[in-house]
Every structure is written in C-alpha cells, then in structure tokens.
Amino acid sequence: MISVRCYGLLIAILVTPSFFAAQTTPQSAPPTITVSVDATDAQRKIFHAHLTIPATPGSLTLYYPKWIPGEHGPTGPIEELTGLRFTGNGQVLNWRRDLLDGWTFHVDVPQGVSLVEASLDYVSPTGRDGLYTGALSATDKITEIAWNTLILYPAGWTSDELSYETTLRLPTGWKSGTALPIASQSGPEIKFKPASLTTLVDSPVIAGEYMRVVPLAENPRQEMDIAADSAAALDVPADLFDPYKNLTDQAFKLFGARHFRDYHFLYSLSDHVAHFGLEHHESNDSRSGERYLVDPELRLLAAGLLPHEYVHSWNGKYRRPADLTTPNYEDPMKDDLLWVYEGLTSYLGDVLSARSGLRTPEQLRDSVALIAAKLDHTPGRTWRNLQDTADGVPSMQGAPPEWESWRRDLDYYDEDVLNWLWVDTIVRQQTAGKKSIDDFCHLFHGGESGLPEVKTYTFDDVMNALNQVAPYDWAGFWTVRLTNHTAGAPLGGIEGSGWKLVYDETRSELFRDEEHEGDEVNASYSIGLLLKEDGRIVDTIEGMPAAQAGIGPGMKLVAVNGRRFSGDVLRDALRAGKNGSEPLQLLIENTDYFRTFNLNYHGGEKYPHLVRDGSRPDLLTDIIRPR
Ligand SMILES: [Zn+2]
C-alpha cells in the first residue's frame, strides 16, 4: 500500500479492543453466503447490498470487516455502514452492536429460521478524509467496489472457509474490470463464480463510463483496467504503456515465478477519489489524479505507484509476515515486519520502475536523493526508531503532516529503500559481484508459478534466506538498522553503490513536481521550513533555523524581507542572503498576531541530488539496468 501524503488530512483511527463474543455453534460445513450488490446509485455514493446467511436459532454473531489486508490497521469504514436490517422467514429480527467492538453485531435468530437475510447500505464518503478504501470511492463517472465495505460474515469460520456467491449491478452503460472470476454477464449485471471470502475481499472491481483496457502480457494474462473521470484523460498513445509491458517482463525476471491466475492493474484517474495504492494478490487498486496519464509531470510523480503495488503480489501477498496473516478480518494484525512487507516492496518497486523505463536512471536517483534528504532531516529519529514506525501503524497512520519530522512518518517505506539498497550492495560485495538482491528474490519469492497461495515468514526466515544468498551478520545488520536512534539517515547503500548525497541550489525535476502538485514550497534543507503556497506552515524541522527562531507548524508566513510571501520571493531571498550579513526577516501570523522573526541564515538554497563518488564502483547503475 502507498498513501499519498499531499492529498488532505487523514482522519486518525483509534484502535478498539478486539472482542470475541459468544458465538453460535458452527455448523458442520462452512456456509455459503450470497451477496447481491446494487451499485446503480454509485453516483449518489450509496451502495446497497443484500445477503443471505445460513444460521441456526440462537445468537448469530456477524462481523463487518475491521482489519483490512494491506491497510495495516482497523480501518474497516464502520461509520459508513448504514441501513442495516435483518429478517428471517419474513420477520424482522432484533440485533445489537457489541458493546466492546463496534464492528460486531449480534442477531437474535428465532426457532424455525435457518436463513438470515441482511440488507445494508455502504455510503461512500463525499470528501477525501478517511483512510484508503474507506475514503471517497465514487464520482459521477467512476466507482471502485471494495467488497469488504459491503459484506458481513459469520463468526466461527476462517475467511478461507466461507464461500460467497456474488452478483453486482452497475449503472447502465458502465464497463468494469476485476480479477474476480466472472461466471456470466448480462448487460449491467455481473454474476461471479463462487469465491472464498478471502478471494472476494482481495478482488475489488473498478467500473466507469470511460474505461480503457490495455493488454500487457499473455500466459498469464496481465492487463490494465483504467477508469477516468473523462474520455480525454485516457486519450494517450498506445506506446505510453510500453514501460508497463516491460514491468511485467522485468518482474518475472526478478522473481523467477508468478503466483496469480491473471493480473489486473485497476487504475482510477480522478481528482476527487482518495489517492493511494492498495495491493491484492491478482490485482491492485491504485488511484491518481485525472491527468496522471496525459501530463508528463504527473506521470513522473506516479512512476513508482504501480510497480510498488505489483511487487506486492510476490512480497506481501504470496510471501507474508506470519504476524500479518490472520484467519479473518476481526483478529488484530501485527505490523512489526512492515520493513520487509512495505520496505522491500518500495525498494523493488523503485528498482523495477527504472528497469522497466517508467523512470530514467537520473529520475530514479533524484527519487532516492529526495528520500535520503528527508530522512536526513528527520530529528524524530532520535526518539523513535525505525521499528516503532512499523509497530505503531494501527494507531499512528492517520497522523497529520504537521510536526511530521519530529513525530516521524511511515518511514518503514522510504527508509527501507535505503536499507534494502544497502543490503543489495553488501550482497554484491560479499559475493564479489556474483549475487544480488535478484538472487534473494528468486529464492524467497520465486518457486513454482501457479495459483495464489500464502507462505508466511518470520524475522528469522528473512535472515536465513539472506544468509543462503550471501553469508553475513544479517541479524546484526537489521537489528542496528531497526533499533538505532542516530540522527542521520542510513546512507551506507547510496555510498556503497558508488554515489553521494549532496545539496546544491538547483531543484530537480522531481523536487519541483512534488512542490507543484502538493501546492508546497519546500525550504526544508536550508532553513527547515515546509509550507503551502499560501504561506501556511506545514512543518518546521527541530534544530534548524526556522524552528530555532521560534516558528512552528500552523503559523503562516506573510512576508519575506518586507515583501509579500511567494515561493519565488522566499527563494530569491535565500539566494540573495547567501554569504551576506543581514538576517532573513520573516513576518509570521500566529493565531491573529503578527511578529517578525530574524533568521541568521546565510547558506542559500539547498536541494538534494546524488552525484558519483569516483572512488567506488558504480553499482547503482547496474542495479537499475534492465535484465
Ligand atoms: Zn505497499
């Protein structure tokens, strides 16, 4: 999964204690549940579902999915579950929500009732607030159906054991894409083949008025199913998709096997839906802005998104931390191995983005430079180690961007790009260039190609696999990486691969694109100030000039050296003040009061880049070379 930081505030999700209530005695065979979803009101952002659930008299415990795979927390959007009603033999049944777990419902099933009928509505949020599939998922032209938002399931069975027979009705004329096998389709009504609850929840549907299907590979079939808010957003030349064809080929060469029947990149292009990527075994649900295909600047920003989600089919779905492999959606997940699940995925996704041609080598290096610079200016590292950024996800992933450098972000993504690059360079050094991360991927994620399956792992399994590729003190390496409290970013991989992190006065293409798309001005590496184009201060970096002068998040920069603030005015002032003696004067508004702060800063503008270190061999260029 990848969340996109610059798209509005995310709502904090609180962890509630899990509660396992008294359950009806499981029947001898797992039940088959039917669910029919009416999405014809998608444009109103309300979805209707009707389920039939076999039951026995007594108290029937039903769960609304709470811990959503790939979302790493109790993010099931329970507050959007509405219109809940149960009947049996035509009679309305009493129900009550569990007092300790709001995702759990107890239904009174009277004698003589063997089938409970449940109807419910899922109301999709109308704004971008919310996390992942629980955020806005329907526009006038697009919808994404995440089945976990539309179903209930009975206690007493695993999600593998429960079987669902599912139908879906779409708005007339809309097309759709999904990895969920289809039994038949008649106009807007799709009947799916029976599937386990696991497969159902893992197989979302994208649908819309404007859709483009792009075949990428055959045997097995791999395709992009792209829905957009306009026809114009899909009007790009066919060769624009060549890097994605390369991606399927390069990934197979990296892993040596595939673990899906077929694969669908479900890609939504809309300025209204929430922007993120969510992985599945045979598909991914990825969402960017409407013009992300047609606009080269935006295309560069999203270049790593689909490779990351695709890599998850191997790393996250096929190979999965045991702590994240739960039998249902009620048992809590433990996120301690996200530095493998997400961190290695981020590294491999970045490597594949370059090997496939989605990024040039220079663009890939710029991306690594941005990661390294941000982590090198994250003073929160001194109180919070990398392991805690993973452990804390269920309660912390909705944190706001203000104070991010002191709180720390979800750093097990980006920091582990640097750490796994370091691993790659150590493997190469230890084996005199004979082995690389590719050998680890073949060993750990490869095996026989075939149907989706889950092979769990622990910390020791990862260390053992690394040791099989190249004997080394991997447990010691990772223990230090995960538990240290040093202030600086881990740069051993950049340096070991023959490059250096430097700062100069020129913004890279990627740096400017990120500022532009985020409506931000990023002076983090000069005066430690990140702000919006309208002057609102998002973050100040503890220990750097802006924070030292007394400026903090939530204040507003009004004027620089007596002139109204803009990005250009601030950059001009930084440049003019370099090597001078006059302080940088910032007029700041704070809760209706105005004050001028003087920063004794004369270092000029500073933006990160990677440059070659001629004293070492250039391993990075080989790492990202197409296979
Ligand atoms: Zn991910």
Side-chain angles (χ1 to χ4, degrees), residues 413-429:
Y413 285 94
D414 281 354
E415 184 156 338
D416 284 308
V417 170
L418 305 183
N419 285 334
W420 283 100
L421 171 63
W422 199 344
V423 168
D424 204 349
T425 62
I426 293 171
V427 168
R428 287 159 187 263
Q429 285 153 4

Side-chain angles (χ1 to χ4, degrees), residues 525-527 545 574 577-580 582-584 599-606:
Y525 310 121
S526 50
I527 55 175
L574 288 169
K578 190 177 183 186
N579 304 321
E582 293 297 308
L584 180 71
L599 277 61
N600 187 24
Y601 174 77
H602 303 286
E605 292 182 272
K606 288 188 179 178

Side-chain angles (χ1 to χ4, degrees), residues 1-2 70 72 277-279 308-309 312 341-342 345-346 413:
M1 171 261 286
I2 291 184
H72 311 317
L278 184 63
E279 62 275 18
H308 176 104
E309 303 308 333
H312 269 314
Y341 182 115
E342 294 293 1
T345 297
S346 291
Y413 285 94

Side-chain angles (χ1 to χ4, degrees), residues 266-301:
L266 310 178
Y267 197 19
S268 307
L269 303 174
S270 167
D271 293 338
H272 302 284
V273 299
H275 292 165
F276 61 87
L278 184 63
E279 62 275 18
H280 301 285
H281 214 128
E282 299 180 300
S283 64
N284 67 74
D285 171 1
S286 295
R287 312 180 186 184
S288 292
E290 180 176 339
R291 299 188 63 77
Y292 266 57
L293 272 187
V294 297
D295 183 325
E297 173 185 316
L298 298 173
R299 222 161 45 229
L300 175 60
L301 284 178

Side-chain angles (χ1 to χ4, degrees), residues 551-585:
I551 299 169
M555 300 181 187
K556 186 172 183 180
L557 177 55
V558 179
V560 180
N561 292 345
R563 185 173 181 188
R564 181 182 298 281
F565 161 75
S566 73
D568 284 335
V569 165
L570 177 60
R571 285 185 288 267
D572 286 349
L574 288 169
R575 208 176 308 123
K578 190 177 183 186
N579 304 321
S581 56
E582 293 297 308
L584 180 71
Q585 290 192 332

Side-chain angles (χ1 to χ4, degrees), residues 252-581:
F252 184 63
K253 286 173 174 160
L254 175 63
F255 295 112
R258 300 183 182 98
H259 309 285
F260 46 73
R261 295 168 291 188
D262 51 27
Y263 193 91
H264 296 251
F265 293 84
L266 310 178
Y267 197 19
S268 307
L269 303 174
S270 167
D271 293 338
H272 302 284
V273 299
H275 292 165
F276 61 87
L278 184 63
E279 62 275 18
H280 301 285
H281 214 128
E282 299 180 300
S283 64
N284 67 74
D285 171 1
S286 295
R287 312 180 186 184
S288 292
E290 180 176 339
R291 299 188 63 77
Y292 266 57
L293 272 187
V294 297
D295 183 325
E297 173 185 316
L298 298 173
R299 222 161 45 229
L300 175 60
L301 284 178
L305 175 62
L306 297 187
H308 176 104
E309 303 308 333
Y310 186 50
V311 165
H312 269 314
S313 180
W314 290 265
N315 189 52
K317 292 299 175 181
Y318 171 57
R319 295 310 308 268
R320 194 178 308 170
D323 279 353
L324 282 175
T325 310
T326 49
N328 54 46
Y329 309 107
E330 181 66 13
D331 288 13
M333 298 175 182
K334 297 177 194 151
D335 289 330
D336 51 311
L337 285 171
L338 284 184
W339 54 276
V340 187
Y341 182 115
E342 294 293 1
L344 178 57
T345 297
S346 291
Y347 176 63
L348 297 176
D350 281 356
V351 166
L352 286 175
S353 74
R355 289 186 186 176
S356 63
L358 285 163
R359 286 174 169 135
T360 65
E362 183 183 8
Q363 289 167 342
L364 185 280
R365 290 194 298 271
D366 286 344
S367 170
V368 174
L370 261 58
I371 286 173
K374 185 180 173 196
L375 289 161
D376 219 23
H377 293 78
T378 299
R381 313 172 59 84
T382 57
W383 74 267
R384 189 175 182 205
N385 63 30
L386 179 61
Q387 180 67 63
D388 190 65
T389 70
D391 296 348
V393 174
S395 49
M396 298 288 285
Q397 67 174 331
E402 289 79 16
W403 293 106
E404 185 177 279
S405 64
W406 182 234
R407 179 191 303 109
R408 296 199 74 168
D409 195 7
L410 306 177
D411 288 342
Y412 53 86
Y413 285 94
D414 281 354
E415 184 156 338
D416 284 308
V417 170
L418 305 183
N419 285 334
W420 283 100
L421 171 63
W422 199 344
V423 168
D424 204 349
T425 62
I426 293 171
V427 168
R428 287 159 187 263
Q429 285 153 4
Q430 293 295 111
T431 61
K434 293 189 182 67
K435 299 275 182 68
S436 71
I437 200 78
D438 296 46
D439 296 278
F440 174 81
C441 291
H442 266 66
L443 177 68
F444 198 69
H445 305 97
E448 290 287 308
S449 290
L451 300 175
E453 62 172 318
V454 180
K455 289 179 73 174
T456 63
Y457 62 80
T458 62
F459 178 93
D460 287 345
D461 294 330
V462 179
M463 299 309 116
N464 289 339
L466 284 168
N467 270 312
Q468 284 182 59
V469 176
Y472 189 73
D473 179 19
W474 292 114
F477 172 87
W478 277 110
T479 299
V480 172
R481 299 274 51 84
L482 292 164
T483 63
N484 79 81
H485 288 277
T486 52
L491 301 178
I494 291 173
E495 291 161 2
S497 63
W499 293 78
K500 281 187 296 196
L501 176 65
V502 299
Y503 297 86
D504 66 18
E505 294 172 352
T506 306
R507 290 176 288 166
S508 67
E509 178 190 16
L510 182 63
F511 193 100
R512 297 173 75 112
D513 288 356
E514 287 198 355
E515 283 186 311
H516 187 214
E517 180 61 4
D519 299 326
E520 287 177 347
V521 177
N522 190 348
S524 291
Y525 310 121
S526 50
I527 55 175
L529 190 62
L530 176 67
L531 66 171
K532 289 289 181 184
E533 282 176 344
D534 65 3
R536 277 180 296 133
I537 293 170
V538 179
D539 205 3
T540 53
I541 297 174
E542 296 298 277
M544 293 190 68
Q548 283 187 322
I551 299 169
M555 300 181 187
K556 186 172 183 180
L557 177 55
V558 179
V560 180
N561 292 345
R563 185 173 181 188
R564 181 182 298 281
F565 161 75
S566 73
D568 284 335
V569 165
L570 177 60
R571 285 185 288 267
D572 286 349
L574 288 169
R575 208 176 308 123
K578 190 177 183 186
N579 304 321
S581 56

